[in-house]
Amino acid sequence: MTFSVIIPARLGSTRLPNKPLADIAGQPMIVRCAQQAALSGARQVWVATDSQAVLEAVQAHGFLALLTDAEHPTGTDRLAQAARLLELSEDEIVVNVQGDEPLILPEHINAAAELLARSTQADIATLAAPIKNAETLFNPNAVKVVCDLQGRALYFSRAPMPWARDALAGGEQLLADGLPALHHIGLYAYRNRFLQQYAQLPRGPLEHFESLEQLRAMENGFQIMVHRLQAIPAAGVDTEQDLERVRAHFANRL
């Protein structure tokens, strides 16, 4: 099995301006992400960006980068354009590593790619981990996924699910014993054939209301396989506080 990693990196960010170029122990965050991806089994790692500054920063550190359109509505759309520019084959597995995940583990990248390679009927593979506290279950920023017995995703939501009817009958926010609640981890592996279809798919009401782009695939009949991790990995960088947490992590490694 071979696969490629593409890291979409948009310079604009509402909460954290110029996020891909944020310094982490002397290197831009996007470079830290590329370094982690390069430790996986990927045959190549590319950064796909709308910014000349990001392109030059990545190349200055010895990694591959290419320019994509500025107006892509999602990272998946940016990925699709990058795969076209790279002339990847239809069967190539492409792993989408987020550009704000400098602590991503290479083995998680491999796990997503390997699951998709094994799952010949699936179009996408992703990751999830058990939810172990009520705070995460009821947090709308923590996306939940429920799966069938074969590991196929049935639905993704910001709402708490599955709903433990009896345990929650009293109105308390708690995690029922044994509840198979999973926290979705936003790392995806796609076949390039699907990537090229994605941008043409109609945006359905579930994606609109949940604001979750993976629901576009499910609403249009595409199958997503889910690999279960043992624990929720370190979070990415969305805020200044997140950035300081990651900086502290790298400082402790030096």
Side-chain angles (χ1 to χ4, degrees), residues 185-213:
I185 311 302
L187 183 151
Y188 299 94
Y190 310 94
R191 289 191 177 82
N192 187 33
R193 183 185 303 106
F194 166 79
L195 269 181
Q196 301 313 315
Q197 292 178 270
Y198 179 82
Q200 310 305 319
L201 297 176
R203 190 169 186 255
L206 298 178
E207 180 191 5
H208 170 73
F209 283 105
E210 293 268 16
S211 192
L212 296 173
E213 64 184 88

mmCIF file of all heavy atoms in Angstrom, residues 185-213:
data_model
loop_
_atom_site.group_PDB
_atom_site.id
_atom_site.type_symbol
_atom_site.label_atom_id
_atom_site.label_comp_id
_atom_site.label_asym_id
_atom_site.label_seq_id
_atom_site.Cartn_x
_atom_site.Cartn_y
_atom_site.Cartn_z
ATOM 1 N N ILE A 185 -12.091 12.271 15.426
ATOM 2 C CA ILE A 185 -10.795 12.919 15.229
ATOM 3 C C ILE A 185 -10.716 13.313 13.756
ATOM 4 O O ILE A 185 -10.833 12.469 12.871
ATOM 5 C CB ILE A 185 -9.624 11.964 15.578
ATOM 6 C CG1 ILE A 185 -9.858 11.307 16.957
ATOM 7 C CG2 ILE A 185 -8.303 12.702 15.508
ATOM 8 C CD1 ILE A 185 -10.010 12.266 18.101
ATOM 9 N N GLY A 186 -10.503 14.597 13.488
ATOM 10 C CA GLY A 186 -10.629 15.098 12.114
ATOM 11 C C GLY A 186 -9.447 14.834 11.210
ATOM 12 O O GLY A 186 -8.850 15.759 10.640
ATOM 13 N N LEU A 187 -9.094 13.586 11.064
ATOM 14 C CA LEU A 187 -8.069 13.163 10.109
ATOM 15 C C LEU A 187 -8.751 12.197 9.135
ATOM 16 O O LEU A 187 -9.428 11.264 9.570
ATOM 17 C CB LEU A 187 -6.911 12.478 10.841
ATOM 18 C CG LEU A 187 -5.701 12.039 10.008
ATOM 19 C CD1 LEU A 187 -4.440 12.055 10.876
ATOM 20 C CD2 LEU A 187 -5.873 10.645 9.407
ATOM 21 N N TYR A 188 -8.563 12.438 7.830
ATOM 22 C CA TYR A 188 -9.279 11.644 6.828
ATOM 23 C C TYR A 188 -8.320 11.048 5.809
ATOM 24 O O TYR A 188 -7.338 11.687 5.409
ATOM 25 C CB TYR A 188 -10.277 12.510 6.053
ATOM 26 C CG TYR A 188 -11.356 13.151 6.879
ATOM 27 C CD1 TYR A 188 -11.209 14.442 7.365
ATOM 28 C CD2 TYR A 188 -12.541 12.474 7.151
ATOM 29 C CE1 TYR A 188 -12.205 15.046 8.116
ATOM 30 C CE2 TYR A 188 -13.542 13.070 7.897
ATOM 31 C CZ TYR A 188 -13.374 14.354 8.372
ATOM 32 O OH TYR A 188 -14.358 14.952 9.120
ATOM 33 N N ALA A 189 -8.641 9.847 5.361
ATOM 34 C CA ALA A 189 -7.998 9.259 4.189
ATOM 35 C C ALA A 189 -9.068 9.101 3.110
ATOM 36 O O ALA A 189 -10.184 8.661 3.400
ATOM 37 C CB ALA A 189 -7.387 7.905 4.533
ATOM 38 N N TYR A 190 -8.736 9.506 1.897
ATOM 39 C CA TYR A 190 -9.671 9.420 0.773
ATOM 40 C C TYR A 190 -9.003 8.687 -0.388
ATOM 41 O O TYR A 190 -7.777 8.740 -0.533
ATOM 42 C CB TYR A 190 -10.039 10.810 0.227
ATOM 43 C CG TYR A 190 -10.472 11.844 1.212
ATOM 44 C CD1 TYR A 190 -9.553 12.741 1.756
ATOM 45 C CD2 TYR A 190 -11.808 11.974 1.574
ATOM 46 C CE1 TYR A 190 -9.955 13.725 2.642
ATOM 47 C CE2 TYR A 190 -12.220 12.963 2.457
ATOM 48 C CZ TYR A 190 -11.281 13.832 2.987
ATOM 49 O OH TYR A 190 -11.686 14.816 3.863
ATOM 50 N N ARG A 191 -9.810 8.082 -1.232
ATOM 51 C CA ARG A 191 -9.327 7.718 -2.555
ATOM 52 C C ARG A 191 -9.484 8.940 -3.454
ATOM 53 O O ARG A 191 -10.489 9.649 -3.375
ATOM 54 C CB ARG A 191 -10.086 6.523 -3.114
ATOM 55 C CG ARG A 191 -9.737 5.228 -2.401
ATOM 56 C CD ARG A 191 -10.282 3.991 -3.108
ATOM 57 N NE ARG A 191 -9.825 2.803 -2.391
ATOM 58 C CZ ARG A 191 -10.417 2.318 -1.296
ATOM 59 N NH1 ARG A 191 -11.497 2.912 -0.816
ATOM 60 N NH2 ARG A 191 -9.936 1.254 -0.693
ATOM 61 N N ASN A 192 -8.508 9.178 -4.303
ATOM 62 C CA ASN A 192 -8.551 10.383 -5.138
ATOM 63 C C ASN A 192 -9.797 10.410 -6.021
ATOM 64 O O ASN A 192 -10.323 11.485 -6.327
ATOM 65 C CB ASN A 192 -7.281 10.477 -5.994
ATOM 66 C CG ASN A 192 -7.209 11.790 -6.735
ATOM 67 O OD1 ASN A 192 -7.664 12.817 -6.248
ATOM 68 N ND2 ASN A 192 -6.635 11.771 -7.924
ATOM 69 N N ARG A 193 -10.284 9.254 -6.403
ATOM 70 C CA ARG A 193 -11.518 9.190 -7.198
ATOM 71 C C ARG A 193 -12.663 9.905 -6.479
ATOM 72 O O ARG A 193 -13.420 10.668 -7.080
ATOM 73 C CB ARG A 193 -11.882 7.728 -7.454
ATOM 74 C CG ARG A 193 -13.122 7.523 -8.334
ATOM 75 C CD ARG A 193 -13.486 6.054 -8.439
ATOM 76 N NE ARG A 193 -12.385 5.266 -8.965
ATOM 77 C CZ ARG A 193 -11.624 4.438 -8.240
ATOM 78 N NH1 ARG A 193 -11.852 4.295 -6.924
ATOM 79 N NH2 ARG A 193 -10.654 3.758 -8.799
ATOM 80 N N PHE A 194 -12.775 9.651 -5.167
ATOM 81 C CA PHE A 194 -13.809 10.324 -4.392
ATOM 82 C C PHE A 194 -13.519 11.816 -4.256
ATOM 83 O O PHE A 194 -14.424 12.653 -4.359
ATOM 84 C CB PHE A 194 -13.939 9.719 -2.994
ATOM 85 C CG PHE A 194 -14.738 10.580 -2.063
ATOM 86 C CD1 PHE A 194 -16.120 10.582 -2.120
ATOM 87 C CD2 PHE A 194 -14.104 11.439 -1.169
ATOM 88 C CE1 PHE A 194 -16.872 11.414 -1.289
ATOM 89 C CE2 PHE A 194 -14.842 12.262 -0.333
ATOM 90 C CZ PHE A 194 -16.226 12.253 -0.397
ATOM 91 N N LEU A 195 -12.261 12.169 -4.008
ATOM 92 C CA LEU A 195 -11.904 13.580 -3.853
ATOM 93 C C LEU A 195 -12.374 14.407 -5.039
ATOM 94 O O LEU A 195 -12.886 15.520 -4.886
ATOM 95 C CB LEU A 195 -10.392 13.733 -3.712
ATOM 96 C CG LEU A 195 -9.790 13.712 -2.316
ATOM 97 C CD1 LEU A 195 -8.286 13.890 -2.400
ATOM 98 C CD2 LEU A 195 -10.404 14.775 -1.431
ATOM 99 N N GLN A 196 -12.203 13.856 -6.230
ATOM 100 C CA GLN A 196 -12.583 14.607 -7.419
ATOM 101 C C GLN A 196 -14.106 14.702 -7.575
ATOM 102 O O GLN A 196 -14.604 15.612 -8.236
ATOM 103 C CB GLN A 196 -11.953 13.987 -8.664
ATOM 104 C CG GLN A 196 -10.436 13.931 -8.621
ATOM 105 C CD GLN A 196 -9.800 15.246 -8.180
ATOM 106 O OE1 GLN A 196 -10.184 16.317 -8.630
ATOM 107 N NE2 GLN A 196 -8.831 15.166 -7.264
ATOM 108 N N GLN A 197 -14.831 13.805 -6.947
ATOM 109 C CA GLN A 197 -16.295 13.888 -6.959
ATOM 110 C C GLN A 197 -16.837 14.839 -5.905
ATOM 111 O O GLN A 197 -17.899 15.435 -6.085
ATOM 112 C CB GLN A 197 -16.903 12.495 -6.701
ATOM 113 C CG GLN A 197 -16.688 11.481 -7.801
ATOM 114 C CD GLN A 197 -17.297 10.140 -7.400
ATOM 115 O OE1 GLN A 197 -16.636 9.312 -6.791
ATOM 116 N NE2 GLN A 197 -18.553 9.942 -7.727
ATOM 117 N N TYR A 198 -16.075 14.990 -4.814
ATOM 118 C CA TYR A 198 -16.601 15.683 -3.638
ATOM 119 C C TYR A 198 -17.087 17.092 -3.951
ATOM 120 O O TYR A 198 -18.179 17.498 -3.528
ATOM 121 C CB TYR A 198 -15.538 15.730 -2.548
ATOM 122 C CG TYR A 198 -15.988 16.459 -1.303
ATOM 123 C CD1 TYR A 198 -16.753 15.816 -0.334
ATOM 124 C CD2 TYR A 198 -15.669 17.800 -1.092
ATOM 125 C CE1 TYR A 198 -17.187 16.470 0.808
ATOM 126 C CE2 TYR A 198 -16.096 18.464 0.044
ATOM 127 C CZ TYR A 198 -16.856 17.802 0.987
ATOM 128 O OH TYR A 198 -17.280 18.472 2.099
ATOM 129 N N ALA A 199 -16.276 17.839 -4.686
ATOM 130 C CA ALA A 199 -16.632 19.238 -4.944
ATOM 131 C C ALA A 199 -17.913 19.375 -5.761
ATOM 132 O O ALA A 199 -18.563 20.425 -5.735
ATOM 133 C CB ALA A 199 -15.480 19.940 -5.658
ATOM 134 N N GLN A 200 -18.291 18.312 -6.468
ATOM 135 C CA GLN A 200 -19.501 18.352 -7.294
ATOM 136 C C GLN A 200 -20.742 17.872 -6.557
ATOM 137 O O GLN A 200 -21.856 17.973 -7.080
ATOM 138 C CB GLN A 200 -19.295 17.479 -8.546
ATOM 139 C CG GLN A 200 -18.002 17.751 -9.303
ATOM 140 C CD GLN A 200 -17.850 19.207 -9.703
ATOM 141 O OE1 GLN A 200 -18.822 19.842 -10.121
ATOM 142 N NE2 GLN A 200 -16.642 19.736 -9.565
ATOM 143 N N LEU A 201 -20.569 17.359 -5.348
ATOM 144 C CA LEU A 201 -21.714 16.825 -4.611
ATOM 145 C C LEU A 201 -22.595 17.960 -4.085
ATOM 146 O O LEU A 201 -22.089 18.980 -3.624
ATOM 147 C CB LEU A 201 -21.239 15.976 -3.433
ATOM 148 C CG LEU A 201 -20.439 14.717 -3.760
ATOM 149 C CD1 LEU A 201 -19.969 14.047 -2.467
ATOM 150 C CD2 LEU A 201 -21.258 13.753 -4.592
ATOM 151 N N PRO A 202 -23.905 17.766 -4.127
ATOM 152 C CA PRO A 202 -24.787 18.788 -3.554
ATOM 153 C C PRO A 202 -24.643 18.843 -2.041
ATOM 154 O O PRO A 202 -24.480 17.824 -1.378
ATOM 155 C CB PRO A 202 -26.184 18.316 -3.966
ATOM 156 C CG PRO A 202 -26.052 16.852 -4.214
ATOM 157 C CD PRO A 202 -24.662 16.648 -4.742
ATOM 158 N N ARG A 203 -24.696 20.048 -1.508
ATOM 159 C CA ARG A 203 -24.597 20.259 -0.055
ATOM 160 C C ARG A 203 -25.978 20.063 0.544
ATOM 161 O O ARG A 203 -26.902 20.802 0.252
ATOM 162 C CB ARG A 203 -24.071 21.666 0.215
ATOM 163 C CG ARG A 203 -23.686 21.939 1.651
ATOM 164 C CD ARG A 203 -22.937 23.265 1.724
ATOM 165 N NE ARG A 203 -22.422 23.520 3.072
ATOM 166 C CZ ARG A 203 -22.952 24.383 3.922
ATOM 167 N NH1 ARG A 203 -24.013 25.092 3.564
ATOM 168 N NH2 ARG A 203 -22.426 24.569 5.116
ATOM 169 N N GLY A 204 -26.119 19.039 1.407
ATOM 170 C CA GLY A 204 -27.416 18.687 1.947
ATOM 171 C C GLY A 204 -27.736 19.424 3.236
ATOM 172 O O GLY A 204 -26.892 20.122 3.815
ATOM 173 N N PRO A 205 -28.949 19.250 3.730
ATOM 174 C CA PRO A 205 -29.365 19.954 4.949
ATOM 175 C C PRO A 205 -28.603 19.528 6.193
ATOM 176 O O PRO A 205 -28.395 20.339 7.107
ATOM 177 C CB PRO A 205 -30.853 19.617 5.067
ATOM 178 C CG PRO A 205 -31.032 18.361 4.261
ATOM 179 C CD PRO A 205 -30.044 18.472 3.141
ATOM 180 N N LEU A 206 -28.168 18.267 6.271
ATOM 181 C CA LEU A 206 -27.442 17.825 7.468
ATOM 182 C C LEU A 206 -26.101 18.545 7.572
ATOM 183 O O LEU A 206 -25.715 19.024 8.648
ATOM 184 C CB LEU A 206 -27.240 16.309 7.435
ATOM 185 C CG LEU A 206 -28.520 15.468 7.441
ATOM 186 C CD1 LEU A 206 -28.171 13.989 7.361
ATOM 187 C CD2 LEU A 206 -29.356 15.757 8.682
ATOM 188 N N GLU A 207 -25.382 18.633 6.463
ATOM 189 C CA GLU A 207 -24.119 19.380 6.468
ATOM 190 C C GLU A 207 -24.375 20.844 6.819
ATOM 191 O O GLU A 207 -23.627 21.460 7.600
ATOM 192 C CB GLU A 207 -23.427 19.295 5.113
ATOM 193 C CG GLU A 207 -22.105 20.073 5.096
ATOM 194 C CD GLU A 207 -21.501 20.246 3.711
ATOM 195 O OE1 GLU A 207 -22.126 19.846 2.711
ATOM 196 O OE2 GLU A 207 -20.385 20.809 3.634
ATOM 197 N N HIS A 208 -25.434 21.397 6.275
ATOM 198 C CA HIS A 208 -25.740 22.812 6.512
ATOM 199 C C HIS A 208 -25.978 23.078 7.999
ATOM 200 O O HIS A 208 -25.383 23.991 8.572
ATOM 201 C CB HIS A 208 -26.971 23.220 5.701
ATOM 202 C CG HIS A 208 -27.505 24.574 6.050
ATOM 203 N ND1 HIS A 208 -26.860 25.740 5.675
ATOM 204 C CD2 HIS A 208 -28.602 24.948 6.757
ATOM 205 C CE1 HIS A 208 -27.543 26.771 6.142
ATOM 206 N NE2 HIS A 208 -28.590 26.325 6.793
ATOM 207 N N PHE A 209 -26.819 22.280 8.625
ATOM 208 C CA PHE A 209 -27.187 22.548 10.009
ATOM 209 C C PHE A 209 -26.094 22.152 10.998
ATOM 210 O O PHE A 209 -25.858 22.846 11.993
ATOM 211 C CB PHE A 209 -28.504 21.858 10.361
ATOM 212 C CG PHE A 209 -29.706 22.576 9.821
ATOM 213 C CD1 PHE A 209 -30.385 22.092 8.723
ATOM 214 C CD2 PHE A 209 -30.148 23.760 10.405
ATOM 215 C CE1 PHE A 209 -31.485 22.759 8.208
ATOM 216 C CE2 PHE A 209 -31.241 24.435 9.903
ATOM 217 C CZ PHE A 209 -31.918 23.938 8.802
ATOM 218 N N GLU A 210 -25.411 21.028 10.749
ATOM 219 C CA GLU A 210 -24.361 20.580 11.669
ATOM 220 C C GLU A 210 -23.036 21.306 11.406
ATOM 221 O O GLU A 210 -22.167 21.339 12.269
ATOM 222 C CB GLU A 210 -24.135 19.072 11.526
ATOM 223 C CG GLU A 210 -25.300 18.201 11.970
ATOM 224 C CD GLU A 210 -25.194 17.778 13.439
ATOM 225 O OE1 GLU A 210 -24.408 18.396 14.191
ATOM 226 O OE2 GLU A 210 -25.907 16.830 13.816
ATOM 227 N N SER A 211 -22.879 21.864 10.200
ATOM 228 C CA SER A 211 -21.619 22.469 9.767
ATOM 229 C C SER A 211 -20.475 21.462 9.874
ATOM 230 O O SER A 211 -19.425 21.732 10.444
ATOM 231 C CB SER A 211 -21.299 23.726 10.588
ATOM 232 O OG SER A 211 -20.236 24.444 9.995
ATOM 233 N N LEU A 212 -20.723 20.277 9.274
ATOM 234 C CA LEU A 212 -19.740 19.196 9.248
ATOM 235 C C LEU A 212 -19.637 18.703 7.813
ATOM 236 O O LEU A 212 -20.572 18.092 7.282
ATOM 237 C CB LEU A 212 -20.161 18.052 10.177
ATOM 238 C CG LEU A 212 -20.236 18.383 11.672
ATOM 239 C CD1 LEU A 212 -20.824 17.203 12.450
ATOM 240 C CD2 LEU A 212 -18.863 18.764 12.218
ATOM 241 N N GLU A 213 -18.489 18.938 7.180
ATOM 242 C CA GLU A 213 -18.377 18.655 5.756
ATOM 243 C C GLU A 213 -18.416 17.165 5.431
ATOM 244 O O GLU A 213 -18.785 16.779 4.322
ATOM 245 C CB GLU A 213 -17.111 19.288 5.182
ATOM 246 C CG GLU A 213 -15.811 18.737 5.742
ATOM 247 C CD GLU A 213 -14.601 19.484 5.199
ATOM 248 O OE1 GLU A 213 -14.214 20.504 5.793
ATOM 249 O OE2 GLU A 213 -14.043 19.032 4.183
#
